[in-house]
Amino acid sequence: MMKWITLLISMSMSMMLCAQVTISGTVKNQSGTPLVNASIIISPVGSNKVIAFKMTDHKGAFTITQQSGLDSVQVKLNLLNHETEIKIIANQTQEVNFIAKEKATVLEEVFVKDPMMFRKGDTIVHDVEQFANKNDRSLADVIKRMPGLEIDESGKIKYQGKDINQFTVEGKDLMQGRYGIIPNSIPHQDVGKLEVIENNQPIKMLKDKVPSENAGINIKLKKNITWTGSGSLALGLSPLLWNLKLTPMLFSKKRQALFNIKSNNTGEDIISENGNFISLSGFMGQSLDNSTGDFLRPSSVSPPASIAQSRYWFNQSHAIGTNFLESLKHDWEVKANLLYTYHELDLKGSSNTSIANLNADGTVLNTLNYTRKSDLNDIAQKAKATLSLNRNAKANFFKNDLIFSIDRNNSRSTLELDGIPVYQRTRANGFSVQNSLSTLFPIDKQSKRLISLQSYINYVHDPEWYQVDSLKALQFSDQHMQSALSLKQLKRSGTFNTTNTVSMAFSKKDLTIIPSFKFLYADELLNTDLELTQAPGITQSMDVPWRNRLKLDNFNTQVSVGLNLKKEKLRLSLNLPLSNNIIHIKDEENRFQRDLNKWLFQPSLFAELSVKKFTFAANAARVNRFSSLTSIYPGYVFSALNINAYRSPIEEAAFTRAGSRIAYKNLLLNIDANAGYNYAYNSSNIMLSRQIANNGQQVITATLQDNSGNTHALFLNFSKYIKHAATNLGVGYNYSRSEVMNLLNNNLFTAVNHNQTASLKIENSSLSWLIAGYNMTYGYAKRVDRGTNNLTHTLSQAAKLSFYISEKGSFNLSGDWNRYTIAQQQFNNQFVDASYRHTVGKRKIDLELKWMNILNTKEYEQVLINTIQTNITRFTLRPSQLLVSARMNLR
């Protein structure tokens, strides 16, 4: 695979390198005096389309960088009281000077409009107003129409299929990765430009030294905009419904603030938009989204992933947050981010599961069929505080983040196994604290030699328990457990880890070499106990092998060298780390001890080449992973009705990935397209062996068994905004083939999964009285294992029509249709929603009446295929409901 990657890079580098062209010069009058604020416009020959433009500075000078790919362009001079002059030149880096001739100008009313998209160096600027239509309210509504950009319901943004690595407003990072609430809440009318910074390097000191694979987003507000935000209140019936949103925002030169309060029971997700979409890594420091309370969990039917959560969520959700940024002298900033969320969720569903046990010759020995029906109530509370002191200047970088997090989770679930009820409860009360310090400073005046110091400390405390009452439907080999009234699994764990790094950077021209030394230490504890209730008030604690008293120590020492090349057209990053890993795991009660001392070489490569409107990229990496305490313990643990024990050697897993990608960007035609191929190979010395009973209960153990798997994936995406037709078009295709080894009921086999999806998105707003949109996704899934085939076809369609019956009123009608086909069975699901919106007053308040699920569809059906089984799932949906709402912008 490395041979093919090297060949791809070599072929790409041999192509014509003419991506960015720089045209510079001066404008003077006939007396030789420099002329200020003269307009220099670059266009295709004989066209009025603007490729790039610039105003001359106080010396009459201009410098324009553009990437049109044309053979020749015209350079036009415009200046009041002077003659317009046009020069046609070859499209190559050169100097163009003008001697402007004076001419009296009769002024007329002239309107100058920016292009929808234009480039400034590595930044692509989008004019938000030109992408918006009458239906849009938030910035997120408009982003969905911008070629190359994707945004989901949580506000998470991707550019050309990859996550962004920074989100700022007016160049300042207020939210620190939890940015989803801004695009979802800020009115698009208050945003002037949305900038996509390609190959974004968040640290200014490294901007021309260390390349980046990911893009960043910056929002430029319109002039004189400081206060912004939105607020809305909705009330409804069947049962009593509410949805409150209030998000005022302040963006000034020295201060930024965002206050957020949201509450609803309408099925709307307000938790995910507060999630952390950007984790710190590299020179930025380190951060972990410590999750607690997820080791023990109840068994329940998995919810459908192919429809909106608002269709099946019966929730009560509340979120309140305060975010503050204050700019100090000398580029210092202090930030505070405080958040509290409460999320109570009721989910009801059922499933029919089929698992085939085969003979060695591939014939069916028997088939396990079982049904499950669950009613889950889950309550999750989270409080999180982040305090930061930052300086991101060209002369120095400093970032210190102190993060506190507290989680409280409670759940109750009634699960029917083949009609017999099982009652489950869980509780978890965990907390974590972490601190990340990273600084970068020069040791010479030219900043060609830098030193980086990083220190990260993290502590997690995570106790939880899981209790099951009414055990008649369950099966245990231990007679005491089988005759018990209830079982209670207890777990207490704690983790302390620290990572400390010192690096140096040496730059010469376009090459930067970064040697570094890293030391990591982790100390983990895991204690588990199982309690039986034999009679009311009589509790017995099970002995070995139903308990764990584990301690893990991990010492990791790493030296590495990074080679970074950043040219105008070529970017390359090669990291060569060598590490020594020492792991010691011990449980005296279970007489269990495991030790490992291993050296690892884990290289990674990223290369990118720009040729005219095309970008070619390749990447490759090898990563190794060893067991943590949640994946190696000798005593049995009872969770989700299953019994787990991982009494095995330390897992040594290796992951190799490689990929290539080509992207095409045409700003004049508003086109973005990208295609690529990814390959992944993984291997391990440990396999999970599953023994599945006829009621679906599993005994999962770890066994020493070499195994491997691989995945091939292809993707293609095309998006275009047709300005004269006011039409947005998007097409996508994905294919993947994966091989996974499984050990099921002592039968070792390889399952091969094929998945294909094709999608179409189109929206038109060319008519003053109608906006129409249509989305379609077709899916094909096939699993082949042990001589059997399982095949499903899915077709999902969604359409929306907005009729503008008056200047201020619109009627909206939307519908979803989903179809699943497996063998001779077909499942169809339809939804229809309608609303009427009327805008009143100078503040343009939206009054809306919404009718959801008009057909009163009560149940959703879908088919899920994974590596070992086929599930037909049915989920209870929210009934037909009415909502009346009022929404307004806060400016």
Side-chain angles (χ1 to χ4, degrees), residues 201 203 206 210 279-287 397 399 436-440 452-456 499 501 503 518 575:
Q201 172 53 258
I203 300 176
L206 302 177
V210 179
S279 296
L280 298 181
S281 61
F283 289 97
M284 290 290 290
Q286 185 175 345
S287 67
F397 173 78
K399 183 175 179 62
S436 174
L437 169 65
S438 180
T439 184
L440 188 67
S452 171
L453 302 175
Q454 298 178 59
S455 180
Y456 175 74
T499 304
T501 308
S503 308
K518 179 187 292 186
N575 290 298

Side-chain angles (χ1 to χ4, degrees), residues 184-201:
N184 279 345
S185 303
I186 192 170
H188 72 83
Q189 299 93 333
D190 291 347
V191 181
K193 309 292 183 185
L194 183 142
E195 299 176 337
V196 177
I197 304 97
E198 296 183 318
N199 307 112
N200 178 59
Q201 172 53 258

Side-chain angles (χ1 to χ4, degrees), residues 461-464 490-494 525-529 549:
H461 177 67
D462 188 15
E464 53 186 313
L490 304 170
K491 172 254 185 181
R492 297 167 301 283
S493 67
L525 297 173
L526 175 66
N527 295 335
T528 69
D529 292 278
R549 296 292 185 271

Side-chain angles (χ1 to χ4, degrees), residues 630-673:
T630 58
S631 59
I632 180 170
Y633 45 87
Y636 289 108
V637 173
F638 183 52
S639 175
L641 302 185
N642 299 324
I643 298 172
N644 314 293
Y646 302 149
R647 190 183 185 98
S648 65
I650 296 175
E651 183 182 18
E652 301 177 39
F655 304 86
T656 303
R657 61 173 176 84
S660 59
R661 178 173 162 270
I662 180 173
Y664 173 79
K665 193 87 174 181
N666 190 318
L667 302 183
L668 293 177
L669 300 178
N670 299 321
I671 291 176
D672 184 281

Side-chain angles (χ1 to χ4, degrees), residues 850-868:
K850 182 182 292 186
W851 187 5
M852 298 169 292
N853 194 6
I854 295 175
L855 302 179
N856 201 25
T857 305
K858 291 181 169 55
E859 196 172 61
Y860 183 83
E861 299 177 305
Q862 72 172 12
V863 180
L864 299 174
I865 290 181
N866 61 26
T867 57
I868 65 171

Side-chain angles (χ1 to χ4, degrees), residues 399-415:
K399 183 175 179 62
N400 190 89
D401 296 327
L402 178 61
I403 304 173
F404 301 91
S405 182
I406 300 174
D407 295 273
R408 298 289 184 266
N409 298 287
N410 297 277
S411 66
R412 293 176 179 271
S413 174
T414 300
L415 180 73

Side-chain angles (χ1 to χ4, degrees), residues 432-703:
S432 67
V433 57
Q434 56 184 306
N435 189 86
S436 174
L437 169 65
S438 180
T439 184
L440 188 67
F441 53 89
I443 55 176
D444 64 349
K445 293 182 179 180
Q446 293 79 26
S447 294
K448 292 187 177 181
R449 290 182 294 173
L450 309 174
I451 290 182
S452 171
L453 302 175
Q454 298 178 59
S455 180
Y456 175 74
I457 298 175
N458 181 45
Y459 175 74
V460 182
H461 177 67
D462 188 15
E464 53 186 313
W465 57 259
Y466 166 62
Q467 183 168 323
V468 177
D469 302 314
S470 183
L471 309 179
K472 295 179 181 179
L474 306 183
Q475 299 177 12
F476 301 101
S477 58
D478 188 288
Q479 293 300 317
H480 293 91
M481 295 174 62
Q482 191 67 61
S483 61
L485 296 179
S486 68
L487 301 178
K488 187 174 185 179
Q489 179 70 63
L490 304 170
K491 172 254 185 181
R492 297 167 301 283
S493 67
T495 300
F496 170 80
N497 61 283
T498 179
T499 304
N500 299 276
T501 308
V502 58
S503 308
M504 295 190 70
F506 303 92
S507 298
K508 186 172 183 180
K509 294 184 178 180
D510 300 316
L511 179 66
T512 300
I513 300 175
I514 304 176
S516 68
F517 174 81
K518 179 187 292 186
F519 173 74
L520 180 149
Y521 171 70
D523 180 1
E524 300 181 38
L525 297 173
L526 175 66
N527 295 335
T528 69
D529 292 278
L530 183 66
E531 294 181 351
L532 309 184
T533 300
Q534 298 287 2
I538 301 176
T539 300
Q540 173 189 350
S541 182
M542 297 286 285
D543 205 344
V544 172
W546 293 95
R547 65 169 59 183
N548 289 286
R549 296 292 185 271
L550 256 80
K551 186 178 188 302
L552 179 148
D553 293 298
N554 183 3
F555 299 87
N556 181 296
T557 305
Q558 182 185 104
V559 292
S560 68
V561 176
L563 304 176
N564 299 274
L565 180 68
K566 190 169 185 182
K567 288 180 171 290
E568 186 178 11
K569 307 172 185 67
L570 176 66
R571 291 162 292 277
L572 185 145
S573 180
L574 175 64
N575 290 298
L576 305 170
L578 178 66
S579 64
N580 175 244
N581 300 266
I582 300 174
I583 300 176
H584 177 70
I585 301 175
K586 189 173 184 179
D587 184 337
E588 292 184 354
E589 291 196 18
N590 282 282
R591 298 180 180 179
F592 178 81
Q593 181 172 325
R594 299 290 185 265
D595 294 284
L596 180 142
N597 188 335
K598 192 157 191 174
W599 287 89
L600 294 174
F601 179 57
Q602 304 177 81
S604 64
L605 169 70
F606 163 70
E608 188 174 86
L609 176 68
S610 300
V611 181
K612 294 187 177 181
K613 297 181 179 67
F614 291 91
T615 301
F616 302 89
N619 65 81
R622 179 179 175 84
V623 179
N624 292 81
R625 187 196 68 198
F626 301 108
S627 301
S628 66
L629 280 194
T630 58
S631 59
I632 180 170
Y633 45 87
Y636 289 108
V637 173
F638 183 52
S639 175
L641 302 185
N642 299 324
I643 298 172
N644 314 293
Y646 302 149
R647 190 183 185 98
S648 65
I650 296 175
E651 183 182 18
E652 301 177 39
F655 304 86
T656 303
R657 61 173 176 84
S660 59
R661 178 173 162 270
I662 180 173
Y664 173 79
K665 193 87 174 181
N666 190 318
L667 302 183
L668 293 177
L669 300 178
N670 299 321
I671 291 176
D672 184 281
N674 59 86
Y677 165 76
N678 291 313
Y679 171 77
Y681 174 83
N682 62 278
S683 61
S684 175
N685 61 327
I686 301 298
M687 280 198 74
L688 294 183
S689 174
R690 299 174 183 271
Q691 298 288 332
I692 303 181
N694 54 15
N695 65 351
Q697 266 188 279
Q698 300 185 37
V699 176
I700 306 173
T701 57
T703 183

